[in-house]
Amino acid sequence: MQFGIFSVSDITTDPTTGRTPTEAERIKDIVTIAKHAEEVGLDVFALGEHHNEPFFSSSPTTTLAYIAAQTKTLQLSTATTLITTNDPVKIAEDFAMLQHLADGRVDLTLGRGNTGPVYPWFGKDIRAGIPLAIENYALLHQLWREHVVDWQGKFRTPLQSFTSTPRPLDEVPPFVWHGSIRSPEIAEQAAYYGDGFFANHIFWPKEHTQRMVQLYRQRYAHYGHGSADQAIVGLGGQVFMNKNSQDAVKQFRPYFDNAPVYGHGPTLEDFSRETPLTVGSPQQVIDRTLGFREYVGDYQRQLWLMDHAGLPVKTVLEQLDILGSEVVPVLRKEFAALKPAHVPDAPTHASLLAAKLAKDANKEEVQA
């Protein structure tokens, strides 16, 4: 099972000091955070995409390429790549380039985002969000698997004899997660292609996430990719830790109350009860995370949001230290002991390449 963190790239005033970091500071800090994630033994760092304040990450592949050059084992991903407003040709090119530079340590999470104005900014109609996601991914999927593409759709100009360059590393496209909080159509899309489904259940009660994951698993099996429990599932979450749980609550409360993603709404206690947000001791985080398996089944990737709401970078690095030393080692052991042998691990470039070579060898053997 893979464990890691994701960032939404917000630039938020620290409510305890009144200081707001500059864009330059947050961009450099995110690199420091990603490198420290590898240093403490985490597997994945994912970065979101936004084109509006108070967020800075308008070009996640640029940032991830810079991080790739300074890391060795960290799997690099996106918390959201906007499949609805980005040109699928540009996505194909950018991520294939990143894949080469990172020696295959790349996957991506496709989503529609949560900022309505982004659609007209990029010449799209928000009312066509789902059709855009479906058509654009169909083209992206084809571009990475066919050398010469002839294509015509509704939302972009046709392609004639087009080849996306560079080609995916080893002719193995980056693994794709389809991310959604609320749209069953996206779960269906992930299942249809046999891709991963990332349920970022940071705003919803467990019953909603359970229904979404169950739908994906059922449809994954329906399309013949494997049994329902072999479907590839990822979860998002949020934690803040202290050795003493009461101290964790006291320290995090002002950040929660002012956070751009959920501040000025429910109380910290209400939000912690109704969603997977866990503010407390490392053991509480362990127990809560292990409990996710009870309603989504065995899953392959767990990412946490940790660098948001104005938290100073020093505090984020301290949180990563706790995560890497006290939480993730226990979770690795516990999840591994519970996982049946037929349930796959999260796909990596190495595993996808091995599967491709085996498939090619079987094909040659049949033809012979």
Side-chain angles (χ1 to χ4, degrees), residues 38 43 45 64-65 67-77 98-107 169 174 348-350:
E38 180 176 271
D43 305 305
F45 174 78
L64 293 174
I67 294 169
Q70 301 179 65
T71 54
K72 295 181 179 179
T73 62
L74 196 64
Q75 183 78 8
L76 304 171
S77 188
L98 176 59
Q99 190 190 33
H100 281 272
L101 291 172
D103 296 323
R105 294 183 287 124
V106 174
D107 54 54
L169 179 64
T348 62
H349 182 76

Side-chain angles (χ1 to χ4, degrees), residues 16-320:
T16 67
T17 65
R19 186 180 184 279
T20 305
T22 65
E23 287 182 326
E25 288 172 331
R26 274 292 280 147
I27 291 169
K28 292 295 180 67
D29 284 348
I30 209 67
V31 176
T32 299
I33 289 166
K35 290 166 62 177
H36 199 61
E38 180 176 271
E39 292 166 357
V40 302
L42 301 185
D43 305 305
V44 183
F45 174 78
L47 182 60
E49 177 185 349
H50 289 275
H51 299 273
N52 59 292
E53 295 180 335
F55 307 98
F56 70 79
S57 183
S58 58
S59 180
T61 52
T62 304
T63 311
L64 293 174
Y66 188 74
I67 294 169
Q70 301 179 65
T71 54
K72 295 181 179 179
T73 62
L74 196 64
Q75 183 78 8
L76 304 171
S77 188
T78 51
T80 303
T81 294
L82 299 177
I83 188 61
T84 44
T85 51
N86 280 307
D87 183 356
V89 173
K90 197 69 171 74
I91 295 176
E93 294 173 339
D94 286 351
F95 280 89
M97 179 68 76
L98 176 59
Q99 190 190 33
H100 281 272
L101 291 172
D103 296 323
R105 294 183 287 124
V106 174
D107 54 54
L108 66 159
T109 303
L110 299 178
R112 293 179 294 135
N114 58 7
T115 306
V118 75
Y119 284 84
W121 292 342
F122 288 87
K124 306 299 180 183
D125 187 339
I126 193 172
R127 293 169 296 184
I130 293 293
L132 275 164
I134 293 170
E135 181 178 295
N136 283 353
Y137 183 59
L139 175 55
L140 175 61
H141 190 270
Q142 186 177 353
L143 287 167
W144 274 340
R145 288 162 177 81
E146 297 180 16
H147 194 79
V148 180
V149 172
D150 292 306
W151 181 89
Q152 185 169 350
K154 180 179 179 181
F155 297 108
R156 81 173 312 279
T157 53
L159 297 173
Q160 296 179 346
S161 301
F162 179 78
T163 299
S164 174
T165 59
R167 302 304 300 155
L169 179 64
D170 301 317
E171 292 295 330
V172 175
F175 185 73
V176 170
W177 302 81
H178 298 260
S180 180
I181 296 176
R182 61 189 178 275
S183 301
E185 297 92 340
I186 302 303
E188 175 77 17
Q189 183 183 41
Y192 176 81
Y193 288 100
D195 295 335
F197 180 63
F198 190 85
N200 193 9
H201 64 329
I202 61 174
F203 297 122
W204 292 79
K206 64 181 182 181
E207 292 80 9
H208 173 80
T209 300
Q210 182 181 41
R211 288 193 296 270
M212 291 285 286
V213 173
Q214 282 181 343
L215 170 64
Y216 161 67
R217 290 189 183 279
Q218 291 166 0
R219 301 303 289 171
Y220 182 96
H222 168 80
Y223 288 116
H225 301 298
S227 60
D229 62 351
Q230 291 177 313
I232 308 299
V233 174
L235 296 182
Q238 302 157 289
V239 296
F240 188 86
M241 295 170 285
N242 194 300
K243 183 177 181 180
N244 184 301
S245 60
Q246 293 179 336
D247 289 339
V249 171
K250 181 179 179 181
Q251 186 178 0
F252 188 65
R253 187 181 299 281
Y255 295 97
F256 174 89
D257 289 345
N258 291 277
V261 292
Y262 47 43
H264 313 289
T267 66
L268 174 58
E269 286 74 17
D270 288 342
F271 206 88
S272 298
R273 183 178 61 255
E274 297 296 333
T275 81
L277 172 65
T278 307
V279 180
S281 68
Q283 188 60 51
Q284 286 176 301
V285 171
I286 291 169
D287 293 341
R288 191 80 178 274
T289 306
L290 287 172
F292 296 164
R293 182 181 178 274
E294 296 175 5
Y295 56 89
V296 302
D298 291 287
Y299 63 110
Q300 285 75 15
R301 173 175 285 186
Q302 174 66 57
L303 303 183
W304 291 283
L305 176 62
M306 304 191 76
D307 74 309
H308 61 130
L311 287 165
V313 64
K314 178 177 180 293
T315 301
V316 176
L317 299 180
E318 291 169 350
Q319 290 291 300
L320 291 178

